[in-house]
Amino acid sequence: MSDHSPALFSLTRGYASKSFPPHTVVSMPALSPTMTAGNIGTWQKKAGDTIAPGDVLVEIETDKAQMDFEFQEEGVLAKILKEAGEKDVAVGNPIAVMIEEGGDVAPFESFTLEDAGGEKAPKEAPKEEASQSSEPADTGSKTAPPPSEPSSQPASQESESTGARLQPSLEREPKASPFAKSLALERGVPINEVKGTGPGGRITKEDIEKYKPSSGGAGSSTAAAGPNYQDLPASSMRKTIANRLVQSFNQNPHFFVSASVSVSKLLKLRQALNASADGKYKLSLNDFLIKACAVACKKVPTVNSSWRGEEGTIREFKTVDVSVAVATPNGLMTPIVRGVEGLGLESISAQVKDLGKRARDSKLKPEEYQGGSFTISNMGMNSAVERFTAVINPPQAGILAVGTTKKVAIPAEGEDGTNVEWDDQIVVTGSFDHKVVDGAVGGEWIREFKKVVENPLELLL
């Protein structure tokens, strides 16, 4: 099963207006300090199932990962109020109903969200989200993300001309399921013209599929044809990535240092080690490069630092925690291999494989991707990418971008004159934060990295 994280959730016990038996309303939990809403994933329990403390009730998608919501009380799941696939469910909104073990779930078949106290709109994300870093919120540092603050919302006003109440935008929007809204957008159906047949006039998928535009000239035919584009909803994770990249480029003055690095000796060492492993491990080129980053960071510790402007300090880390960029279906994740300077290649390889798999499955714990002191991003598996530059992962001061391996002709003196030898090379580009790292220091880091990669036996010392 996947990794679990403790959740802050509320339970409300009592009787609803329709005099239901004693029950407990389970609310959307807060799985991170900045979480204001979440998406409902797969329910691991169904109505009528018995639940013990520690059982996984449902998967919740946060702004960074999909996490398991472990229930901490025993009982029976009586009714699911938010089905799998529901988007942007506000923290504190009802998602399920529990009863005591031995209770009867039948009376709760008609239980609704209104019986549970209704819904509220998600709180507006704090403005500081654009400055969110990979640093956890509870470090006590002034650069750590601040806790969420409740946003104030103006009260409804009365119109002086008509006496009618001004409607908030949420009330003006048609009531429709998230899937129905997505389907309407995809098919170019004007959702305001669709009559809902669901509970309380809610628009369903079937209503969208059955919709037929009224005949009335060219305008109707254009609407029926639909737009020539498709708007895709941005996931919570994609919004977080966008905010952090904007923050990084706006607040960190990047400069770049590139070098061509020979990996011929390293590839031979890798082949020899894998041949003698008897299947216990299979080292990749990236495993060696991660170790080389740690060696360079220990020799040039200024790069293994972060800017703490509000505190008037630069924090230099004693250990090298390397964030490894991993492409996932939902976006880029950077799980961390901690204390790389003290790890062997076999341990690094095992951790990278495990973290990478769980990152792609959205099963990482927050502490496994928050923090880090340096990042490596390797696109070498794409033979078309010779070199690229990467955006710094704040609040870190450096990131290394690695291109694909190319064979390069090198002149060599032989008995018959000048010959040509073929050398396997990669082009690496370091991006550094100029607030912390001077140009000469960035160049020194690249030199130390190049030195250890081209003499890979030093990695075994």
Side-chain angles (χ1 to χ4, degrees):
M1 195 58 195
S2 63
D3 294 305
H4 314 305
S5 292
L8 299 176
F9 60 95
S10 59
L11 303 176
T12 304
R13 304 181 187 278
Y15 299 85
S17 58
K18 298 179 183 178
S19 298
F20 289 97
H23 58 273
T24 298
V25 175
V26 182
S27 302
M28 169 64 79
L31 298 174
S32 71
T34 58
M35 177 178 169
T36 60
N39 303 333
I40 302 293
T42 303
W43 283 91
Q44 303 297 325
K45 301 289 183 180
K46 62 181 183 299
D49 284 354
T50 300
I51 299 178
D55 281 356
V56 177
L57 186 62
V58 63
E59 293 178 351
I60 304 288
E61 181 190 350
T62 69
D63 57 352
K64 270 292 188 180
Q66 186 160 306
M67 306 171 71
D68 291 337
F69 173 24
E70 293 182 352
F71 202 67
Q72 300 304 321
E73 295 194 12
E74 60 184 13
V76 175
L77 180 59
K79 180 70 179 287
I80 293 174
L81 300 176
K82 286 291 183 180
E83 297 294 337
E86 291 278 358
K87 305 288 185 182
D88 296 324
V89 180
V91 170
N93 273 3
I95 61 172
V97 180
M98 303 287 298
I99 58 175
E100 293 184 358
E101 192 170 354
D104 186 10
V105 302
F108 292 90
E109 292 182 1
S110 60
F111 196 95
T112 65
L113 282 169
E114 287 69 26
D115 295 321
E119 294 185 273
K120 61 181 179 181
K123 294 181 182 179
E124 183 180 350
K127 293 182 180 179
E128 288 79 0
E129 182 183 1
S131 299
Q132 179 181 352
S133 72
S134 57
E135 178 182 9
D138 57 356
T139 60
S141 166
K142 292 183 181 179
T143 60
S148 302
E149 294 181 1
S151 59
S152 59
Q153 182 175 354
S156 301
Q157 301 177 1
E158 298 296 326
S159 168
E160 294 181 0
S161 58
T162 64
R165 185 172 68 87
L166 294 175
Q167 286 183 301
S169 59
L170 287 174
E171 294 184 11
R172 292 197 300 269
E173 289 186 2
K175 294 200 301 184
S177 68
F179 185 80
K181 290 181 180 179
S182 177
L183 186 62
L185 189 65
E186 179 182 339
R187 298 192 177 187
V189 173
I191 199 167
N192 288 322
E193 298 180 11
V194 180
K195 184 177 180 180
T197 60
R202 187 179 180 88
I203 298 172
T204 65
K205 179 187 76 168
E206 290 73 19
D207 296 328
I208 300 297
E209 292 175 338
K210 295 177 181 178
Y211 171 77
K212 295 181 179 179
S214 57
S215 58
S220 298
S221 61
T222 302
N228 60 351
Y229 60 86
Q230 180 181 8
D231 289 331
L232 301 175
S235 66
S236 299
M237 181 175 170
R238 174 53 56 186
K239 293 175 184 176
T240 299
I241 291 173
N243 285 333
R244 295 192 65 242
L245 291 178
V246 170
Q247 175 226 346
S248 180
F249 246 75
N250 286 345
Q251 299 183 11
N252 300 323
H254 288 53
F255 76 92
F256 309 98
V257 182
S258 296
S260 295
V261 181
S262 172
V263 292
S264 295
K265 293 180 181 178
L266 191 151
L267 291 177
K268 291 178 181 178
L269 176 61
R270 169 179 172 263
Q271 183 180 18
L273 291 174
N274 284 340
S276 62
D278 294 329
K280 294 179 181 178
Y281 55 83
K282 186 176 182 180
L283 303 177
S284 69
L285 174 62
N286 205 43
D287 298 331
F288 287 87
L289 300 183
I290 292 170
K291 182 67 175 181
C293 285
V295 172
C297 282
K298 292 301 288 185
K299 291 187 176 181
V300 188
T302 301
V303 174
N304 196 47
S305 307
S306 67
W307 177 257
R308 307 279 158 166
E310 294 183 5
E311 301 173 3
T313 62
I314 295 174
R315 179 173 297 174
E316 188 175 293
F317 297 99
K318 296 179 180 179
T319 61
V320 184
D321 299 334
V322 179
S323 303
V324 182
V326 176
T328 77
N330 298 318
L332 189 70
M333 292 287 290
T334 52
I336 304 164
V337 182
R338 300 190 182 275
V340 176
E341 75 283 356
L343 297 178
L345 291 167
E346 181 180 355
S347 178
I348 293 172
S349 179
Q351 289 192 45
V352 169
K353 288 181 175 64
D354 173 61
L355 291 168
K357 181 180 185 303
R358 289 192 286 115
R360 286 183 284 272
D361 293 339
S362 300
K363 300 299 183 183
L364 289 176
K365 300 176 183 177
E367 61 268 24
E368 291 177 318
Y369 57 78
Q370 291 180 347
S373 60
F374 188 84
T375 297
I376 182 171
S377 180
N378 191 341
M379 294 182 66
M381 70 294 297
N382 186 337
S383 60
V385 180
E386 181 177 330
R387 69 179 70 197
F388 70 103
T389 57
V391 180
I392 294 171
N393 182 17
Q396 298 172 10
I399 182 172
L400 185 72
V402 183
T404 194
T405 305
K406 296 283 188 180
K407 288 194 175 294
V408 178
I410 303 295
E413 293 293 335
E415 295 180 358
D416 301 331
T418 302
N419 297 322
V420 172
E421 294 182 355
W422 293 96
D423 186 35
D424 290 303
Q425 294 186 5
I426 57 175
V427 176
V428 297
T429 303
S431 306
F432 301 101
D433 181 357
H434 223 320
K435 299 194 309 295
V436 180
V437 183
D438 291 332
V441 176
E444 180 68 17
W445 189 94
I446 289 289
R447 182 169 68 178
E448 291 295 339
F449 176 85
K450 177 181 173 74
K451 176 183 175 183
V452 72
V453 170
E454 294 184 345
N455 298 277
L457 289 177
E458 293 184 14
L459 296 172
L460 305 179
L461 297 178

